[in-house]
Amino acid sequence: MKKFIFALLLLTAVSGARAQTPQFEDAAGPQTPIEQYFQEENPSYTQSMIYVFFNNEPCGQCPAAIELIEQIYNQYYQNSYGFSIINYQNDDEYNFIEIYNLSRPLSVVLVRVNDGAVFGFEKLDDLQNRISDPVSFSEYFRFRVNSFLGEQ
């Protein structure tokens, strides 16, 4: 009986972990894992990415935060990582809202890629609330990018 309960718990844990894999819906088929999508869509996907996502909600500090993020990218990361600014509410093709669980007016998603395979992502929210001190904003942003994607 103990073996049966252990097996049931193990099966539940494995299926629960599988349910957490980000899914992607596109021409490759519904519910395709994001890693598989990137491999199929762009086999030469060799750069980690910095995505800046915003939505249509009013956000007074968002434009300044996006501008500073773009400046930091151009100064420190331009030759190392890809960069894209996306209004995720207007995006019907890639389903970013569900892939990255986007709901805030501004989110930055760091996607780690190594040898053409996606190794995960990290989401930074509420950056617009840090813009009042551009120096500490820049230090915080660079620390998070370097910690997740690697030192540059």
Side-chain angles (χ1 to χ4, degrees):
M1 183 69 174
K2 288 181 183 179
K3 288 182 182 180
F4 176 73
I5 292 173
F6 178 74
L8 184 61
L9 288 174
L10 182 63
L11 181 60
T12 304
V14 170
S15 65
R18 181 163 162 53
Q20 298 301 320
T21 303
Q23 302 294 310
F24 187 83
E25 292 186 32
D26 78 326
Q31 304 302 311
T32 303
I34 186 93
E35 293 87 357
Q36 183 180 346
Y37 166 75
F38 281 123
Q39 290 169 356
E40 291 173 0
E41 181 73 12
N42 190 353
S44 64
Y45 196 80
T46 57
Q47 271 191 323
S48 293
M49 290 293 297
I50 300 173
Y51 289 111
V52 179
F53 292 106
F54 66 96
N55 65 18
N56 297 326
E57 292 179 26
C59 173
Q61 295 83 15
C62 289
I66 292 170
E67 182 178 332
L68 186 53
I69 291 166
E70 192 168 13
Q71 288 173 5
I72 294 167
Y73 171 79
N74 289 334
Q75 184 173 357
Y76 296 101
Y77 304 115
Q78 189 169 14
N79 296 323
S80 302
Y81 308 125
F83 183 78
S84 191
I85 300 173
I86 300 168
N87 181 338
Y88 67 84
Q89 286 185 325
N90 292 343
D91 179 66
D92 296 330
E93 185 176 351
Y94 294 107
N95 202 17
F96 287 122
I97 293 172
E98 289 186 29
I99 293 170
Y100 299 121
N101 192 26
L102 300 172
S103 62
R104 306 278 175 105
L106 178 65
S107 293
V108 172
V109 175
L110 310 172
V111 179
R112 185 182 316 145
V113 174
N114 193 4
D115 293 329
V118 175
F119 282 94
F121 69 89
E122 180 172 304
K123 185 169 70 165
L124 312 177
D125 285 324
D126 296 325
L127 290 173
Q128 71 275 11
N129 296 327
R130 297 176 173 268
I131 194 66
S132 62
D133 182 358
V135 173
S136 78
F137 179 99
S138 178
E139 290 171 356
Y140 172 79
F141 184 79
R142 290 184 57 216
F143 172 78
R144 296 294 298 266
V145 170
N146 293 341
S147 295
F148 189 73
L149 297 180
E151 192 72 33
Q152 294 299 315

